[in-house]
Amino acid sequence: MLRDVKTLNQFIVERQADFEYAKGELSSLLSDIGTAVKIINREVNKAGLVNILGSAHEINVQGEEVKKLDMYANDMLIIALSSGEDCCVIASEENENIVEIPTQNNINPAKYVVVFDPLDGSSNIDVNASIGTIFAIYRRISEGDGPGTAEDCMQKGRNIVASGYVIYGSSTMLVYTTGNGVNGFTLDPSIGEFCLSHPKIKLPERGNIYSLNDANFSDFSEGLKRFVNYLKGDAKTEIGKFSARYIGTLVADIHRNLLKGGIFIYPDTAKAPQGKLRLIYENNPMAFLLEQANGKATDGHGVDILDIQPTDLHQRTPLFIGNKDLVDLAEEFIKKYG
Ligand code: AHG
Ligand code: MN
Ligand code: MN
């Protein structure tokens, strides 16, 4: 029944009272992001047809230049956030430097900062596996009303005001938090609206899924190797043996674990001492959201992801994220065996 449907925008406005600072800016920022990802979703669904319409950097049958989906998603988010009046600066995986929002005579009184990975899981685009978008919103810390700064974008994850992700999968879902719990919305294409489908998401008490790229096993630390072998061996939980699941899209691996429980690991290795995943627009948004769902996210060495002070827009950190007991157990193995 229509009365049972709660759209994202209705929910955002309803929950506006939760935001101690925002009048309506944060609400309109979140709905701007909602609009942009609906447009991205439309393009994602066509991605399989790109070969018919012309692959990236070619001119398609409509005579338009077909963009790579990463760049298309990036452009859509920048356009949506620039046309609103609530964002003063952007940091994106696809832009080497910060993206200052164009303003009249260089004044931009907007109070919020948005960081994002516009298209997560690019390697899965052409094999039709789930891909995603990841975002986080901060309050600006720079003084004055000029455009925002790199310092605004390099705040600790603890300062996040809202974060979330979109998973373009068998259905398209937007999952986000403003620090008062995690809620999931499923896109109903027939009305073009994200509708509340997963209210108050919390990690299950116990998880028996571990998710990591096993091909890197030989590069893992001794402690991590022993942890993984433990999970593969006689580790037992009340819900049975462990299962290995790895999609290779952070958003999809995290979303599955958020709903079913488990641990996702992209560790530091000898070859990649900082791991692979980016702190500002992948690890922090996910860490903030998982903590809201009773989870935990660290670098595998006792440091909470949200407490790491960024020093570079694109810096990488190891990521151990999921059920607290599994993150703690992984750290115990690493502490004990190095
Ligand atoms: P992106 O497509 O934004 O670069 O992110 C890809 C990331 C992340 O989505 C995933 O968890 C990880 O790469 C997979 O890395 P491997 O292929 O090395 O396992
Ligand atoms: Mn990514
Ligand atoms: Mn990406």
Side-chain angles (χ1 to χ4, degrees), residues 93 117 119-122 213 246 248-250 266 276 278 282:
E93 177 196 357
D117 175 359
L119 210 293
D120 175 60
S122 316
N213 186 336
Y246 193 70
T249 295
L250 179 66
Y266 210 106
K276 170 182 182 180
R278 279 58 56 108
E282 290 177 314

Side-chain angles (χ1 to χ4, degrees), residues 58-122:
E58 280 178 12
I59 303 301
N60 67 22
V61 287
Q62 287 87 359
E64 299 148 356
E65 197 240 341
V66 180
K67 285 189 175 118
K68 267 168 65 72
L69 212 47
D70 309 60
M71 294 320 293
Y72 180 84
N74 198 47
D75 293 349
M76 286 308 110
L77 281 160
I78 291 174
I79 290 166
L81 293 168
S82 307
S83 49
E85 268 122 46
D86 310 303
C87 176
C88 66
V89 66
I90 287 169
S92 165
E93 177 196 357
E94 300 301 334
N95 294 74
E96 189 53 34
N97 302 308
I98 58 170
V99 179
E100 290 184 3
I101 306 295
T103 55
Q104 300 300 332
N105 46 53
N106 226 20
I107 300 293
N108 186 340
K111 282 191 264 184
Y112 290 98
V113 175
V114 185
V115 299
F116 53 72
D117 175 359
L119 210 293
D120 175 60
S122 316

Side-chain angles (χ1 to χ4, degrees), residues 120-137:
D120 175 60
S122 316
S123 63
N124 278 326
I125 293 174
D126 49 11
V127 296
N128 215 11
S130 297
I131 52 181
T133 295
I134 308 169
F135 68 91
I137 301 173

Side-chain angles (χ1 to χ4, degrees), residues 212 220-229 265 267 320 334 338:
L212 48 75
F220 289 172
S221 65
E222 182 53 29
L224 181 55
K225 283 179 182 170
R226 286 176 181 249
F227 175 63
V228 174
N229 283 334
I265 298 173
F320 289 64
I334 292 166

